[in-house]
Amino acid sequence: MRASARPRFWFTLVALWFGALFWLSSQSHLHPPGPEFINKDKFLHTGYFALGGACLFIGLRLQKPAMGLLAASLITVAFCSAVGAFDEWHQSFVPNRTGNDPHDWLADTRGGIVGAMAGHGVLRFLPPRGSC
């Protein structure tokens, strides 16, 4: 069985994603590369949390194939929302960073929604569980 068909692979990616998020949130001066535009940080929050949300959604669906799409989606969105709230709280203690931004938290939650949808799409291309 391919690693990508195993739930543990996806849950490990979620753990690495969370570790990277914590490290990034601990940086006092963080200026992402690329062009500047209005609400750039909200797009970055949504994209980053969509990545973590997709990995979680896929892991959940592979671990419990009988779990419905709605249940896996709600767990994914709740997880991303909770992690986003923790991330905002954590940033409030980092010098030169502002935390507790409700708009960032909403972008994180939106990322969970996008991630669940993306994860559902990715699952279509993974081999069925138990196949080689």
Side-chain angles (χ1 to χ4, degrees):
M1 179 182 345
R2 289 188 197 162
S4 64
R6 295 185 176 140
R8 185 179 310 182
F9 171 79
W10 295 98
F11 293 140
T12 300
L13 290 179
V14 172
L16 292 170
W17 169 88
F18 182 82
L21 175 68
F22 191 81
W23 180 80
L24 288 167
S25 293
S26 299
Q27 304 304 304
S28 292
H29 294 82
L30 188 63
H31 300 288
E36 292 298 321
F37 54 90
I38 297 172
N39 292 324
K40 175 182 178 179
D41 66 318
K42 305 308 178 257
F43 284 98
L44 294 173
H45 274 258
T46 299
Y48 193 80
F49 276 77
L51 178 65
C55 292
L56 178 65
F57 180 89
I58 293 166
L60 289 170
R61 293 284 291 161
L62 289 174
Q63 184 179 44
K64 295 189 183 256
M67 179 183 287
L69 291 174
L70 181 61
S73 297
L74 290 175
I75 291 169
T76 298
V77 173
F79 173 81
C80 287
S81 187
V83 170
F86 169 77
D87 181 50
E88 288 302 311
W89 175 78
H90 169 246
Q91 285 181 43
S92 69
F93 298 101
V94 177
N96 301 317
R97 297 290 296 268
T98 58
N100 301 318
D101 181 341
H103 299 289
D104 284 353
W105 172 73
L106 287 172
D108 301 339
T109 303
R110 181 174 48 242
I113 295 167
V114 173
M117 292 167 40
H120 178 63
V122 169
L123 276 172
R124 294 177 174 186
F125 297 101
L126 293 180
R129 192 163 184 194
S131 68
C132 294

